[in-house]
Amino acid sequence: MSAGDPVGRRAFVVGAGAAMLAGGAVSPAAAGVVDGPLPDFHPALKAELDFPLAWGTSPVRDFRAWRRTARATVEEHLLVDREDVTPYDAEFDRGPQGDGYTRELVTLSLTRHERVRAALLTPHGPGPFPAVLLLHDHGAKFDIGKEKLVRPWYDDTRLASAQAWADKYFSGRFVGDELARRGYVVLCADALGWGDRGPITYEQQQALASNFYNLGSSLAGLMAREDARAARFLAGLGRVREVAAVGFSMGAYRAWQTAALTDAVAATAAVCWMTGLKEMMVPGNNTLRGQSSYYMLHPGLPRFLDFPDVASIAAPRPMLFFNGGLDPLFPADGVQVAYDKLRAVWHSRHAEERLHLKTWPDLGHVFVDRMQDEVFGWLDAVL
């Protein structure tokens, strides 16, 4: 600090925050920004988050009524029209045969505003088959989206990028192709900003989200609505029997969110994205950077529901949650808080056997082959 600043701004604002929490009188000018950046008074804001609509806390005691109320609350905070009935008007373009499955690109309307191209894999045989809505991660890598999970037969440049991604996170596998070989129909589309719908840059995310808000809409809300529509499209295909939502990282968030928003999802496997909100909002956490978090930010929703509360709207349908014990993005205490909440909800429905919670102590933020194999076996058992 300089000679003209005997206290120092950081010490001043931290001291001011402590005084506020202790009930002391502090002038409005005393508030500042610290650590992250967070408002100096962020502990007081966190203390006010008691998630009053969570199951067990909500005054609604009938579970089916609670699910309707909680889902309606989530939908209200998406800031995107509740129901888009635009016809899918799907166009199918068959590609070369895979190893025991057919490859297609399907172009469809997930909203009234835009046509989206998705990869669709169908096992050989008469069907109908179980199906997986496969939801890609974020990873701050935007040149590929669906290609992170389905081997791109249509673009050699994307194939090189996608193989490198698979090598880094998925033990060299393309998860969608593995599922198709095992007898699952697979649908995987780009979220806005990735692959065919991008690529944006990391630094453009916040501006994109801000522009959505200024237009009376929401980037995160759009992704949520599109994923739910994609699930309903997949469920409506004659070749499909039941649909599971499966994802890694941001894709895991998308998977349990989709299950909360639509009953078209019969089961969910979410790998490396579940935590308590308050435990995640700590100095040093990646969420505090903004940018990528805007794809998962529904303004005002934390006044009512925590992340595991939203996922619990899907109860008592089968759900699997994995996390890595060495994952730096999700603190262990946050994962434990979330798992405890989830376990209590499924227990209240006498459906503990339908909830599979696991921490892999030696793994970080990955979805490697042994995790995949356990997910595949679990899907075989529940669908």
PDB file of all heavy atoms in Angstrom, residues 289-306:
ATOM      1  N   ARG A 289     -15.468 -17.221 -13.257  1.00  0.00           N
ATOM      2  CA  ARG A 289     -14.942 -16.482 -14.402  1.00  0.00           C
ATOM      3  C   ARG A 289     -16.053 -15.913 -15.286  1.00  0.00           C
ATOM      4  O   ARG A 289     -15.782 -15.080 -16.165  1.00  0.00           O
ATOM      5  CB  ARG A 289     -14.071 -17.399 -15.257  1.00  0.00           C
ATOM      6  CG  ARG A 289     -12.872 -17.992 -14.550  1.00  0.00           C
ATOM      7  CD  ARG A 289     -12.078 -18.853 -15.528  1.00  0.00           C
ATOM      8  NE  ARG A 289     -11.008 -19.588 -14.876  1.00  0.00           N
ATOM      9  CZ  ARG A 289     -10.164 -20.380 -15.506  1.00  0.00           C
ATOM     10  NH1 ARG A 289     -10.268 -20.537 -16.833  1.00  0.00           N
ATOM     11  NH2 ARG A 289      -9.220 -21.021 -14.868  1.00  0.00           N
ATOM     12  N   GLY A 290     -17.297 -16.356 -15.096  1.00  0.00           N
ATOM     13  CA  GLY A 290     -18.348 -15.988 -16.035  1.00  0.00           C
ATOM     14  C   GLY A 290     -18.194 -16.811 -17.296  1.00  0.00           C
ATOM     15  O   GLY A 290     -18.009 -18.025 -17.229  1.00  0.00           O
ATOM     16  N   GLN A 291     -18.242 -16.164 -18.443  1.00  0.00           N
ATOM     17  CA  GLN A 291     -18.003 -16.810 -19.724  1.00  0.00           C
ATOM     18  C   GLN A 291     -18.752 -18.135 -19.858  1.00  0.00           C
ATOM     19  O   GLN A 291     -19.940 -18.148 -20.114  1.00  0.00           O
ATOM     20  CB  GLN A 291     -16.506 -16.980 -19.972  1.00  0.00           C
ATOM     21  CG  GLN A 291     -15.729 -15.676 -20.094  1.00  0.00           C
ATOM     22  CD  GLN A 291     -16.071 -14.866 -21.336  1.00  0.00           C
ATOM     23  OE1 GLN A 291     -16.931 -15.206 -22.118  1.00  0.00           O
ATOM     24  NE2 GLN A 291     -15.382 -13.738 -21.504  1.00  0.00           N
ATOM     25  N   SER A 292     -18.097 -19.264 -19.653  1.00  0.00           N
ATOM     26  CA  SER A 292     -18.705 -20.573 -19.892  1.00  0.00           C
ATOM     27  C   SER A 292     -19.933 -20.812 -19.024  1.00  0.00           C
ATOM     28  O   SER A 292     -20.855 -21.537 -19.425  1.00  0.00           O
ATOM     29  CB  SER A 292     -17.682 -21.677 -19.638  1.00  0.00           C
ATOM     30  OG  SER A 292     -16.524 -21.490 -20.428  1.00  0.00           O
ATOM     31  N   SER A 293     -19.969 -20.228 -17.842  1.00  0.00           N
ATOM     32  CA  SER A 293     -21.085 -20.473 -16.920  1.00  0.00           C
ATOM     33  C   SER A 293     -22.404 -19.963 -17.466  1.00  0.00           C
ATOM     34  O   SER A 293     -23.475 -20.402 -17.012  1.00  0.00           O
ATOM     35  CB  SER A 293     -20.798 -19.839 -15.559  1.00  0.00           C
ATOM     36  OG  SER A 293     -20.742 -18.431 -15.654  1.00  0.00           O
ATOM     37  N   TYR A 294     -22.363 -19.054 -18.452  1.00  0.00           N
ATOM     38  CA  TYR A 294     -23.603 -18.507 -18.982  1.00  0.00           C
ATOM     39  C   TYR A 294     -24.444 -19.549 -19.715  1.00  0.00           C
ATOM     40  O   TYR A 294     -25.642 -19.361 -19.900  1.00  0.00           O
ATOM     41  CB  TYR A 294     -23.310 -17.321 -19.911  1.00  0.00           C
ATOM     42  CG  TYR A 294     -23.143 -16.038 -19.153  1.00  0.00           C
ATOM     43  CD1 TYR A 294     -21.903 -15.663 -18.653  1.00  0.00           C
ATOM     44  CD2 TYR A 294     -24.224 -15.198 -18.916  1.00  0.00           C
ATOM     45  CE1 TYR A 294     -21.731 -14.487 -17.951  1.00  0.00           C
ATOM     46  CE2 TYR A 294     -24.084 -14.020 -18.211  1.00  0.00           C
ATOM     47  CZ  TYR A 294     -22.838 -13.668 -17.723  1.00  0.00           C
ATOM     48  OH  TYR A 294     -22.685 -12.509 -17.013  1.00  0.00           O
ATOM     49  N   TYR A 295     -23.830 -20.643 -20.121  1.00  0.00           N
ATOM     50  CA  TYR A 295     -24.615 -21.715 -20.744  1.00  0.00           C
ATOM     51  C   TYR A 295     -25.429 -22.495 -19.715  1.00  0.00           C
ATOM     52  O   TYR A 295     -26.273 -23.305 -20.074  1.00  0.00           O
ATOM     53  CB  TYR A 295     -23.693 -22.675 -21.505  1.00  0.00           C
ATOM     54  CG  TYR A 295     -23.352 -22.189 -22.897  1.00  0.00           C
ATOM     55  CD1 TYR A 295     -22.169 -21.512 -23.159  1.00  0.00           C
ATOM     56  CD2 TYR A 295     -24.233 -22.401 -23.954  1.00  0.00           C
ATOM     57  CE1 TYR A 295     -21.861 -21.072 -24.441  1.00  0.00           C
ATOM     58  CE2 TYR A 295     -23.935 -21.957 -25.235  1.00  0.00           C
ATOM     59  CZ  TYR A 295     -22.755 -21.294 -25.478  1.00  0.00           C
ATOM     60  OH  TYR A 295     -22.465 -20.859 -26.747  1.00  0.00           O
ATOM     61  N   MET A 296     -25.149 -22.252 -18.433  1.00  0.00           N
ATOM     62  CA  MET A 296     -25.825 -22.996 -17.365  1.00  0.00           C
ATOM     63  C   MET A 296     -26.407 -22.053 -16.320  1.00  0.00           C
ATOM     64  O   MET A 296     -26.635 -22.450 -15.178  1.00  0.00           O
ATOM     65  CB  MET A 296     -24.836 -23.973 -16.732  1.00  0.00           C
ATOM     66  CG  MET A 296     -24.389 -25.067 -17.698  1.00  0.00           C
ATOM     67  SD  MET A 296     -22.779 -25.813 -17.308  1.00  0.00           S
ATOM     68  CE  MET A 296     -21.667 -24.599 -18.054  1.00  0.00           C
ATOM     69  N   LEU A 297     -26.670 -20.814 -16.725  1.00  0.00           N
ATOM     70  CA  LEU A 297     -27.119 -19.787 -15.786  1.00  0.00           C
ATOM     71  C   LEU A 297     -28.552 -19.372 -16.083  1.00  0.00           C
ATOM     72  O   LEU A 297     -28.843 -18.820 -17.146  1.00  0.00           O
ATOM     73  CB  LEU A 297     -26.193 -18.568 -15.880  1.00  0.00           C
ATOM     74  CG  LEU A 297     -26.586 -17.351 -15.060  1.00  0.00           C
ATOM     75  CD1 LEU A 297     -26.601 -17.686 -13.576  1.00  0.00           C
ATOM     76  CD2 LEU A 297     -25.625 -16.199 -15.328  1.00  0.00           C
ATOM     77  N   HIS A 298     -29.441 -19.663 -15.132  1.00  0.00           N
ATOM     78  CA  HIS A 298     -30.842 -19.249 -15.230  1.00  0.00           C
ATOM     79  C   HIS A 298     -31.100 -18.219 -14.130  1.00  0.00           C
ATOM     80  O   HIS A 298     -31.264 -18.579 -12.959  1.00  0.00           O
ATOM     81  CB  HIS A 298     -31.773 -20.446 -15.067  1.00  0.00           C
ATOM     82  CG  HIS A 298     -31.512 -21.551 -16.046  1.00  0.00           C
ATOM     83  ND1 HIS A 298     -31.523 -21.353 -17.407  1.00  0.00           N
ATOM     84  CD2 HIS A 298     -31.215 -22.869 -15.860  1.00  0.00           C
ATOM     85  CE1 HIS A 298     -31.264 -22.500 -18.019  1.00  0.00           C
ATOM     86  NE2 HIS A 298     -31.062 -23.420 -17.108  1.00  0.00           N
ATOM     87  N   PRO A 299     -31.101 -16.919 -14.479  1.00  0.00           N
ATOM     88  CA  PRO A 299     -31.174 -15.876 -13.455  1.00  0.00           C
ATOM     89  C   PRO A 299     -32.385 -16.038 -12.541  1.00  0.00           C
ATOM     90  O   PRO A 299     -33.512 -16.209 -12.991  1.00  0.00           O
ATOM     91  CB  PRO A 299     -31.284 -14.590 -14.289  1.00  0.00           C
ATOM     92  CG  PRO A 299     -30.626 -14.920 -15.582  1.00  0.00           C
ATOM     93  CD  PRO A 299     -30.983 -16.365 -15.836  1.00  0.00           C
ATOM     94  N   GLY A 300     -32.118 -15.997 -11.244  1.00  0.00           N
ATOM     95  CA  GLY A 300     -33.176 -16.037 -10.245  1.00  0.00           C
ATOM     96  C   GLY A 300     -33.551 -17.423  -9.769  1.00  0.00           C
ATOM     97  O   GLY A 300     -34.148 -17.571  -8.691  1.00  0.00           O
ATOM     98  N   LEU A 301     -33.211 -18.456 -10.509  1.00  0.00           N
ATOM     99  CA  LEU A 301     -33.615 -19.805 -10.114  1.00  0.00           C
ATOM    100  C   LEU A 301     -33.035 -20.234  -8.769  1.00  0.00           C
ATOM    101  O   LEU A 301     -33.718 -20.927  -7.991  1.00  0.00           O
ATOM    102  CB  LEU A 301     -33.235 -20.804 -11.212  1.00  0.00           C
ATOM    103  CG  LEU A 301     -33.673 -22.252 -10.999  1.00  0.00           C
ATOM    104  CD1 LEU A 301     -35.192 -22.358 -10.833  1.00  0.00           C
ATOM    105  CD2 LEU A 301     -33.202 -23.126 -12.164  1.00  0.00           C
ATOM    106  N   PRO A 302     -31.783 -19.851  -8.427  1.00  0.00           N
ATOM    107  CA  PRO A 302     -31.253 -20.271  -7.120  1.00  0.00           C
ATOM    108  C   PRO A 302     -32.022 -19.721  -5.922  1.00  0.00           C
ATOM    109  O   PRO A 302     -31.808 -20.184  -4.799  1.00  0.00           O
ATOM    110  CB  PRO A 302     -29.812 -19.733  -7.143  1.00  0.00           C
ATOM    111  CG  PRO A 302     -29.465 -19.655  -8.596  1.00  0.00           C
ATOM    112  CD  PRO A 302     -30.738 -19.236  -9.265  1.00  0.00           C
ATOM    113  N   ARG A 303     -32.880 -18.746  -6.139  1.00  0.00           N
ATOM    114  CA  ARG A 303     -33.737 -18.298  -5.031  1.00  0.00           C
ATOM    115  C   ARG A 303     -34.736 -19.372  -4.630  1.00  0.00           C
ATOM    116  O   ARG A 303     -35.361 -19.279  -3.567  1.00  0.00           O
ATOM    117  CB  ARG A 303     -34.490 -17.020  -5.412  1.00  0.00           C
ATOM    118  CG  ARG A 303     -33.612 -15.785  -5.523  1.00  0.00           C
ATOM    119  CD  ARG A 303     -34.449 -14.570  -5.907  1.00  0.00           C
ATOM    120  NE  ARG A 303     -33.651 -13.355  -5.904  1.00  0.00           N
ATOM    121  CZ  ARG A 303     -33.472 -12.565  -4.859  1.00  0.00           C
ATOM    122  NH1 ARG A 303     -34.028 -12.898  -3.698  1.00  0.00           N
ATOM    123  NH2 ARG A 303     -32.737 -11.473  -4.950  1.00  0.00           N
ATOM    124  N   PHE A 304     -34.900 -20.389  -5.470  1.00  0.00           N
ATOM    125  CA  PHE A 304     -35.913 -21.409  -5.233  1.00  0.00           C
ATOM    126  C   PHE A 304     -35.341 -22.822  -5.155  1.00  0.00           C
ATOM    127  O   PHE A 304     -35.758 -23.608  -4.308  1.00  0.00           O
ATOM    128  CB  PHE A 304     -36.965 -21.355  -6.352  1.00  0.00           C
ATOM    129  CG  PHE A 304     -37.616 -20.023  -6.494  1.00  0.00           C
ATOM    130  CD1 PHE A 304     -37.168 -19.100  -7.443  1.00  0.00           C
ATOM    131  CD2 PHE A 304     -38.672 -19.655  -5.667  1.00  0.00           C
ATOM    132  CE1 PHE A 304     -37.765 -17.863  -7.572  1.00  0.00           C
ATOM    133  CE2 PHE A 304     -39.266 -18.411  -5.786  1.00  0.00           C
ATOM    134  CZ  PHE A 304     -38.822 -17.507  -6.735  1.00  0.00           C
ATOM    135  N   LEU A 305     -34.408 -23.164  -6.040  1.00  0.00           N
ATOM    136  CA  LEU A 305     -33.949 -24.543  -6.174  1.00  0.00           C
ATOM    137  C   LEU A 305     -32.441 -24.612  -6.374  1.00  0.00           C
ATOM    138  O   LEU A 305     -31.867 -23.798  -7.106  1.00  0.00           O
ATOM    139  CB  LEU A 305     -34.634 -25.212  -7.369  1.00  0.00           C
ATOM    140  CG  LEU A 305     -36.161 -25.369  -7.315  1.00  0.00           C
ATOM    141  CD1 LEU A 305     -36.716 -25.637  -8.703  1.00  0.00           C
ATOM    142  CD2 LEU A 305     -36.551 -26.483  -6.352  1.00  0.00           C
ATOM    143  N   ASP A 306     -31.824 -25.601  -5.761  1.00  0.00           N
ATOM    144  CA  ASP A 306     -30.407 -25.902  -5.973  1.00  0.00           C
ATOM    145  C   ASP A 306     -30.294 -26.868  -7.156  1.00  0.00           C
ATOM    146  O   ASP A 306     -31.289 -27.425  -7.631  1.00  0.00           O
ATOM    147  CB  ASP A 306     -29.841 -26.540  -4.707  1.00  0.00           C
ATOM    148  CG  ASP A 306     -28.327 -26.489  -4.626  1.00  0.00           C
ATOM    149  OD1 ASP A 306     -27.682 -26.042  -5.598  1.00  0.00           O
ATOM    150  OD2 ASP A 306     -27.779 -26.907  -3.581  1.00  0.00           O
TER     151      ASP A 306
END
